[in-house]
Amino acid sequence: MRIAIVDDLAAERALLKDRLEQQLHRRNVQADILEYESGETFLEAARKAPFTAAFLDIYMDGMTGMEAARTLRKTDTDCLLVFTTTSTDHALEGFQVRALHYLVKPFTEADIDALTDELLARIPQPDKYMELKVEGSEIHLRYQDIVYAEHFAHLIYVHTTVQKTLATRQPFKTFIAPLKDDTRFFVCGRGVIVNLEHAKDLEGAAFRMADGSRVFVSQELLKPARQAFMEFLLQRGRMA
């Protein structure tokens, strides 16, 4: 997800970026938030790669936020537009460019909280991620990139879609806590969790994964595993 903040005042851009980052982090949603000091530089960037959402200050020197929005709409009908302003005098013009929201300055934490929910509800759900400490560095690992993970000798080995295994030191219970509410994941037994998104089939006592690996399920969990896999396939079919 790419978000643009367009404002000719650096302090205003920094404040909004900080508030958005806090709200997205609370929701485990990853986004690139880019700052632009003019409508012209924003439009130049938008021509190279589309934005999911853009926060446009209406009252800028040079090209106004409304003018930038009209220009953008000639080539991009999907970008969610939020006008940041000290006045709602331009509400009618905002309607003409299909603005999602007016964020009136000075905005509050509650304003950004509610707006973040509104934004996320309007776009395809961005994938969640977890923060892992691997070899002394903090990395963001998207849920969709996890194939399966296993706990062994005080380490959790996370097998990923890029054929790379990440090793992190933390309790297995802590690692799986955020994943247990996601229907893609199934705990196969003590110290093993699998992402059903990458499972091709449940053969005997093991999931056959897309990368050719096999993830074994403990005997007492075979029936729940079959049920969870079938429900996941049905749900994915409805969403396709």
Side-chain angles (χ1 to χ4, degrees):
M1 179 165 61
R2 278 164 49 88
I3 298 175
I5 297 177
V6 189
D7 197 312
D8 54 359
L9 297 178
E12 296 283 350
R13 296 196 305 269
L15 175 62
L16 181 53
K17 182 178 182 179
D18 180 64
R19 295 284 179 83
L20 281 172
E21 285 178 338
Q22 289 179 33
Q23 294 299 330
L24 291 170
H25 186 269
R26 280 180 48 200
R27 294 162 174 80
N28 280 347
V29 173
Q30 193 167 12
D32 293 323
I33 303 179
L34 305 171
E35 298 180 44
Y36 301 95
E37 63 181 5
S38 70
E40 291 88 348
T41 55
F42 160 65
L43 290 171
E44 183 179 349
R47 280 192 289 270
K48 296 177 182 177
F51 287 94
T52 310
F55 290 76
L56 301 166
D57 180 37
I58 291 182
Y59 300 106
M60 290 189 291
D61 291 336
M63 177 181 281
T64 68
M66 193 62 68
E67 290 169 342
R70 288 200 198 96
T71 303
L72 179 72
R73 277 292 181 249
K74 294 176 182 178
T75 57
D76 187 337
T77 59
D78 296 324
C79 181
L80 298 173
L81 299 179
V82 177
F83 288 112
T84 58
T85 176
T86 55
S87 167
T88 57
D89 291 345
H90 297 269
L92 178 59
E93 292 174 273
F95 176 78
Q96 292 169 345
V97 294
R98 301 198 327 279
L100 172 68
H101 194 81
Y102 271 81
L103 187 60
V104 180
K105 302 177 182 178
F107 50 80
T108 67
E109 191 73 33
D111 292 333
I112 302 298
D113 187 17
L115 179 54
T116 301
D117 283 337
E118 189 174 1
L119 278 174
L120 295 179
R122 294 294 188 96
I123 62 176
Q125 187 61 40
D127 200 30
K128 295 180 179 179
Y129 69 92
M130 61 169 53
E131 295 179 346
L132 289 183
K133 190 169 185 177
V134 178
E135 296 179 352
S137 299
E138 291 285 345
I139 67 166
H140 284 178
L141 177 64
R142 296 183 303 173
Y143 287 10
Q144 68 188 46
D145 293 331
I146 301 171
V147 178
Y148 68 98
E150 53 190 343
H151 188 229
F152 180 73
H154 306 295
L155 289 174
I156 295 172
Y157 295 91
V158 186
H159 302 264
T160 69
T161 55
V162 293
Q163 308 296 317
K164 182 178 181 180
T165 300
L166 307 174
T168 183
R169 185 179 296 274
Q170 62 176 288
F172 186 68
K173 184 177 180 181
T174 302
F175 175 79
I176 67 171
L179 303 177
K180 291 176 72 174
D181 292 330
D182 192 309
T183 57
R184 286 174 291 183
F185 291 92
F186 181 80
V187 178
C188 299
R190 189 174 181 182
V192 180
I193 189 168
V194 66
N195 186 348
L196 300 177
E197 192 174 14
H198 302 298
K200 288 295 186 183
D201 202 357
L202 179 56
E203 299 174 338
F207 283 105
R208 177 169 56 85
M209 310 305 289
D211 64 1
S213 60
R214 290 167 64 82
V215 181
F216 286 88
V217 182
S218 62
Q219 190 66 35
E220 66 273 16
L221 291 174
L222 276 175
K223 186 175 179 179
R226 290 191 188 96
Q227 182 177 349
F229 191 37
M230 289 301 297
E231 289 177 353
F232 173 77
L233 293 176
L234 286 171
Q235 179 68 20
R236 185 166 63 178
R238 285 196 294 269
M239 294 175 65

